[in-house]
Amino acid sequence: MTGAVSRIRNRAGRIGRRIRRRSQPAVPLDELQPPELLTDAVSGGYFQSIGREYAEYLIRLGSLRPTDRVLDVGCGAGRVAVPLVPYLDRGSYEGFDVHREAIRWCQSNITSRNRSFRFQAVSVRSRWFNPWGAEAAEEFTFPYPDDEFDFVFAISLFTHLLSQATERYLSEISRVLEPGG
């Protein structure tokens, strides 16, 4: 009987160690980088440094606070989200984008480290990233209630939108941004 119990305990210990290893981030946050396919078009190989620079701008020039509820419109592969993970320690972050693979990468690599960082793919047509999207950008309603966020930003988004879509997105930003945000 002792041999069978010992084998069960050993097996359970190995399974437990395997589960703990899987749940621990394999790469330190400051070294986290998506595959080149997701970053070359927007970061030119400088994903981490550009993300840190933008995060610093949001904090210093935009007065982003660690407690803010943040929306990143067109978040891509989380270039700005990664450096914000340790900063928004009492806040939250929502990001959406038309690029489904980028969103999957963010969910697997960023949300898994901090559950208050959430990402979702939206089915908006984009000539380059989502030509099969179900909805035109000029008709898109952000998937959030009114006055939901303290801070909203969009980096390198409006260069991808025509004037009607830009007006719609600015209107939606105004709607989801709380007064005074």
Side-chain angles (χ1 to χ4, degrees):
M1 198 65 119
T2 309
V5 170
S6 179
R7 282 193 303 277
I8 292 170
R9 283 187 183 158
N10 285 339
R11 176 88 172 125
R14 284 194 306 272
I15 292 170
R17 283 189 296 278
R18 228 180 280 149
I19 290 170
R20 282 191 296 279
R21 270 195 304 267
R22 284 184 193 157
S23 66
Q24 295 171 351
V27 176
L29 187 62
D30 60 346
E31 296 175 19
L32 190 61
Q33 176 137 353
E36 285 180 23
L37 177 67
L38 299 179
T39 63
D40 275 355
V42 295
S43 298
Y46 299 99
F47 179 84
Q48 295 164 345
S49 60
I50 291 173
R52 282 191 303 269
E53 184 175 352
Y54 278 123
E56 288 174 20
Y57 292 154
L58 298 176
I59 294 164
R60 280 186 315 166
L61 303 175
S63 301
L64 178 64
R65 300 172 308 226
T67 56
D68 281 344
R69 296 166 298 154
V70 174
L71 174 61
D72 184 351
V73 181
C75 64
R79 175 177 57 186
V80 180
V82 170
L84 288 178
V85 168
Y87 182 76
L88 291 174
D89 57 350
R90 294 168 310 212
S92 63
Y93 172 102
E94 294 276 344
F96 71 83
D97 202 282
V98 299
H99 197 300
R100 291 192 183 287
E101 287 304 315
I103 293 298
R104 281 189 199 109
W105 186 88
C106 289
Q107 291 167 338
S108 296
N109 292 279
I110 301 171
T111 302
S112 64
R113 295 166 189 259
N114 185 330
R115 296 282 178 215
S116 67
F117 278 65
R118 293 180 295 271
F119 300 87
Q120 64 177 300
V122 294
S123 187
V124 175
R125 273 190 301 283
S126 165
R127 182 176 175 188
W128 295 280
F129 301 109
N130 192 17
W132 51 88
E135 194 167 1
E138 55 272 6
E139 297 171 2
F140 179 58
T141 299
F142 290 5
Y144 308 102
D146 296 355
D147 305 329
E148 180 73 7
F149 299 100
D150 304 305
F151 197 98
V152 178
F153 69 94
I155 295 175
S156 189
L157 169 76
F158 295 107
T159 56
H160 300 286
L161 300 177
L162 297 174
S163 61
Q164 285 184 321
T166 297
E167 288 176 20
R168 176 63 179 186
Y169 273 54
L170 290 172
S171 174
E172 282 299 291
I173 287 170
S174 177
R175 181 183 66 77
V176 301
L177 187 61
E178 75 172 8

